[in-house]
Structure formats: structure tokens, C-alpha cells
Amino acid sequence: MQTTMESSNYMPTLLDERTEELIRQFRQHFDGVPTLVSAGPGRVNLIGEHTDYNDGFVLPVALKRDVRFVLRPRTDRLAQLYSIEFDEEGNFDLDAISFNRDKLWVNYIQGMVQSLEQEGIRLVGIDAVFSGNVPRGSGLSSSAALEIGTAHAFLAASGQEGTLSGARIAQLAQRAENRFVGVNCGIMDQFISELGREDHALLIDCRSLAYTLVPVPAEAALVIGNTRASRSLASSAYNERRRECEEGVALLQQVLTDIRALRDVTSDQLETNRHLLPENVYRRCRHVVSENERVLATVEALRRGDLAEVGRLMNASHASLRDDYLVSSPALDAMVDAMGSVEGCYGARLTGAGFGGCAVALVKPGHEQAIADAVYEQYPKVTNIWPEVYTTKAADGAQSMALPNP
Ligand code: GLA
């Protein structure tokens, strides 16, 4: 079984076979041709899990997989959209946005449009065809990719690209997901989809939204293992973890009066005040506090080219997510074990919210296939599920461009 190799010519032009296919579909669907193309990529997080909503640090990369739109601006305020994956239309009026109970995907688009307009950006309607190759529901942020691809589709159509900073677009996308779609996510996914950079990870300070590009060394390749296991527990457990973290902050504030979030707590302070916390809350806090420290240590190790140390930190992150934060699953543990069993794997961990979805491994280039082979061999024996394995490289964030005249 082969790993799925990513093509290396995806960016910067967006003029590839996928866009050509979208143009063909647009012509079939609408009268005429599209004039613009936009894309929002998915992401994989190297380290810094469940830290974003604690005002902490994350270190994701954007993927060479995206949700892509070809479109044509309209002179009125109608959005006429056709989703290739769902093989259905989702039309709405920008002046009459309301939650669509039948076609949930339309809500990501409506929510993004509403969020941009609430920011004072007046948008035009569009005719658009779109499709994505970020696996859906797999923890690689297909939702953020759809939101960010949508933002650039409408901004480009309205001549408003450049009006907002990338960080602001990411915040508006997060707001769309929190308030319109109703998912209580943090800022990481939208931020990296917007601002990712080829061959770089992004260190994001989720409090200030300051970010730093961190080169991914050429001696490090990324392999993603998709457990293809159900993530049914993810959203309820996600909200519960958020509550536990808030409880931890409230209890610690009795003595650490200056703290606003777990971001402000050191490991020493946490240990000194452990007696203030119920055991479950202490464990959740210990994960977040130690994970923030691991993110910063990972950045230092990447800068020194110490990939063995990066791998060690990734393994420690997984153990902490499994044992203290309780967001791993037998499938994720089996995936991480299979990846880690191969020589040439520096380290591996679950990525994203957990409970299923994907794991990411940092590997020596040339060992990708050996890792995939180990996963295809070992993982189904434990889980009875056939996995998918992708190799990837850090890619650019959101893009849009005018299409050449046919
Ligand atoms: C999901 C959320 C992110 C982040 C991760 C966990 O992907 O959308 O904001 O909280 O889980 O790190």
C-alpha cells in the first residue's frame, strides 16, 4: 500500500488540475466562466494541543490539501453555491442569512459571510463551485479550510482583499464557527489556514495572536496517520475539558491573583498549589501547563536542528494527552504505537482535538513508506479499521487569484 504523496506544485499559482476540474464543473453548472479561484488549506498541529483556548502556544503547519472555490462575482446579493462532494446546491441571500438545518455545510459559508459583514465589510453575491481534499471529520480542520476558503472567495469577489489583516480574518472565521455553526473551537485552525507558510510551522501566541515562522528542517518529513475512527465523543468532551480548565484557573486565582488563564501558570506554581484542585482538574491543568512548555522547547529544538529532541517532546505530548487530558483513544494509541515502532520515526502524537481523527509523526526523509507499511500492518490488527496514511509538507496558507481569460 502506497502512502498518498502530495504534489509539490500546488502553490503558489493555484492553476493546477484540481482548479481546471472545478472550472469545468462551473461551466456545466452555470452559464459562463469563473473569474477567481480561492483556497483555504487544512492543518496538522505539530505540538501544542488544547492550549489555544487557554491563551497558550501552538505550533501547527498548513497542509497541501485545501477547500477550493472557483467563482464569479454577482451584481446582487445572492450566493449560488455548488458543492462537488455533496453534489448539491446551497443558495442563500446575503440579506436573509439564517441557519440551514438541512444542509449543514452551507452554515460554514453563511456564518463566515455574516461575520465579515458584521465587521463592516460589504460583500457582493457570488456564483461558485467548490470542493475539498482535506478529509472531513478527521481532525485536519476541513471546517477551518472551508471558512477561510469562503472568506477569500467573498473578499476577492468584492474587491476587499487586503482590507483585513490575516489574524483578523482568522478571528472572524473562529467567530463564525463559535456563534453561527455552534462549535466552541479555539483560534488555532483558522489562524494556520490563513497564515501558514511553505516549509514553516507557525508558533502562535493564542493570547496576543503574535506569530513567528519556524522553519521545518529539510531532515524532517511529516507523516499523518488517519485512524478513520469515529470522533463521536469529541465535541462533548471538548467542552468539558474547557470547563475543567476554567475551573482550574478560578481555583488557582485564590492564591495566584494575577493569572488570567492557564497560560500564566508555571509547572512549579501548579505543583505548589495542587492541594487546591480536585484530581481531575489538576490533571487537565498539568497537561496544559506542561504542553505550553513543550511547545516552546520544540521551537528551540527545531531551531538547533535537534530532531531527536523534537520527537521526544512529541511523544511526551501524546502521553500527557492520553494520561492527563484523557483525549486519546485505543485507535489513536494504536496509530501512535505503530508509527513509533519504525526506525526513522523521531516521535508521534495525536493531533487536533483527539478521540479519533489523526496522528502525526516526524520522520527521517526516506522512511515515510516504512512508517506507512507499519501502520497498514499493525493498526488494523488492533482496531479492525483500515487506516489512511498521508505524507505532507508544510504549505502556504489561504490564497486567491484571478483566473486567466479562457
Ligand atoms: C480543535 C479545535 C482547536 C484546538 C484543538 C485542540 O482542533 O478546533 O481550536 O483547540 O482542537 O488543540
Side-chain angles (χ1 to χ4, degrees):
M1 177 62 70
Q2 290 290 306
T3 56
T4 316
M5 297 300 287
E6 312 287 355
S7 76
S8 58
N9 57 1
Y10 154 82
M11 296 289 182
T13 68
L14 290 176
L15 295 181
D16 61 8
E17 283 165 13
R18 272 186 64 219
T19 297
E20 273 167 30
E21 173 60 17
L22 282 169
I23 294 172
R24 210 179 58 72
Q25 298 263 0
F26 186 102
R27 282 167 176 270
Q28 265 181 19
H29 217 80
F30 299 102
D31 224 12
V33 289
T35 54
L36 295 161
V37 54
S38 76
R43 66 99 187 90
V44 67
N45 189 19
L46 294 187
I47 196 161
E49 220 62 84
H50 292 278
T51 46
D52 62 352
Y53 54 81
N54 288 298
D55 275 6
F57 301 102
V58 293
L59 190 67
V61 307
L63 296 178
K64 286 182 190 286
R65 285 173 177 261
D66 61 45
V67 174
R68 199 174 297 188
F69 290 74
V70 298
L71 61 132
R72 179 178 63 188
R74 295 174 58 95
T75 50
D76 59 14
R77 302 251 299 158
L78 286 182
Q80 300 207 116
L81 305 151
Y82 174 67
S83 157
I84 293 188
E85 276 76 38
F86 289 96
D87 187 19
E88 63 184 12
E89 286 178 2
N91 302 339
F92 65 94
D93 182 339
L94 272 63
D95 293 312
I97 286 179
S98 66
F99 195 82
N100 188 327
R101 286 185 197 289
D102 303 324
K103 298 177 184 172
L104 291 181
W105 60 266
V106 180
N107 295 314
Y108 293 86
I109 299 174
Q110 292 196 102
M112 190 69 239
V113 164
Q114 187 178 70
S115 209
L116 287 166
E117 291 219 313
Q118 281 169 348
E119 188 74 359
I121 311 274
R122 176 85 178 166
L123 301 173
V124 297
I126 62 173
D127 293 333
V129 168
F130 75 98
S131 79
N133 62 359
V134 186
R136 276 199 311 277
S138 298
L140 298 177
S141 295
S142 58
S143 307
L146 175 55
E147 289 149 10
I148 294 296
T150 297
H152 285 271
F154 280 90
L155 287 169
S158 311
Q160 299 270 16
E161 266 188 317
T163 311
L164 297 171
S165 71
R168 191 68 194 143
I169 294 174
Q171 281 180 306
L172 296 177
Q174 182 199 10
R175 189 164 80 188
E177 186 147 348
N178 290 169
R179 298 199 192 154
F180 197 85
V181 178
V183 175
N184 205 13
C185 61
I187 187 71
M188 167 170 70
D189 307 342
Q190 291 79 8
F191 203 97
I192 184 66
S193 178
E194 175 68 32
L195 285 157
R197 183 74 65 80
E198 181 147 42
D199 296 329
H200 290 78
L202 215 57
L203 170 64
I204 308 167
D205 177 335
C206 297
R207 169 173 283 164
S208 67
L209 298 189
Y211 59 97
T212 313
L213 290 171
V214 181
V216 179
E219 303 74 38
L222 295 175
V223 176
I224 296 172
N226 186 350
T227 62
R228 298 183 66 240
S230 147
R231 293 201 308 156
S232 52
L233 264 175
S235 67
S236 58
Y238 188 87
N239 292 334
E240 191 187 323
R241 296 296 176 278
R242 289 188 72 140
R243 269 196 305 280
E244 288 170 319
C245 291
E246 283 162 20
E247 187 184 338
V249 173
L251 291 169
L252 290 167
Q253 275 171 338
Q254 296 167 33
V255 285
L256 304 171
T257 48
D258 289 344
I259 64 165
R260 279 160 51 203
L262 288 178
R263 145 73 174 275
D264 302 311
V265 180
T266 64
S267 285
D268 285 348
Q269 287 173 322
L270 182 64
E271 290 312 313
T272 309
N273 297 296
R274 177 175 183 167
H275 59 281
L276 295 174
L277 307 174
E279 180 66 12
N280 65 321
V281 174
Y282 164 70
R283 293 261 184 152
R284 307 305 176 259
C285 293
R286 184 164 71 178
H287 165 71
V288 174
V289 169
S290 63
E291 185 79 350
N292 275 326
E293 293 169 353
R294 280 188 290 272
V295 175
L296 299 178
T298 300
V299 170
E300 288 311 310
L302 281 171
R303 289 197 172 126
R304 314 192 285 276
D306 186 350
L307 298 177
E309 176 65 2
V310 175
R312 197 192 62 73
L313 290 160
M314 290 173 74
N315 291 337
S317 169
H318 184 77
S320 176
L321 288 158
R322 182 190 61 212
D323 301 336
D324 274 354
Y325 218 64
L326 305 187
V327 292
S328 190
S329 66
L332 278 166
D333 292 343
M335 180 63 75
V336 165
D337 286 351
M339 289 170 136
S341 71
V342 178
E343 205 221 308
C345 176
Y346 293 112
R349 56 182 289 283
L350 73 84
T351 185
F355 291 102
C358 291
V360 59
L362 191 77
V363 309
K364 286 187 188 147
H367 290 68
E368 295 92 334
Q369 189 61 49
I371 304 251
D373 290 345
V375 168
Y376 288 121
E377 158 76 18
Q378 296 172 34
Y379 176 84
K381 283 188 193 151
V382 184
T383 61
N384 238 339
I385 304 172
W386 192 248
E388 279 176 3
V389 182
Y390 328 108
T391 60
T392 194
K393 275 175 59 94
D396 282 325
Q399 300 243 342
S400 70
M401 63 178 287
L403 288 168
N405 288 331

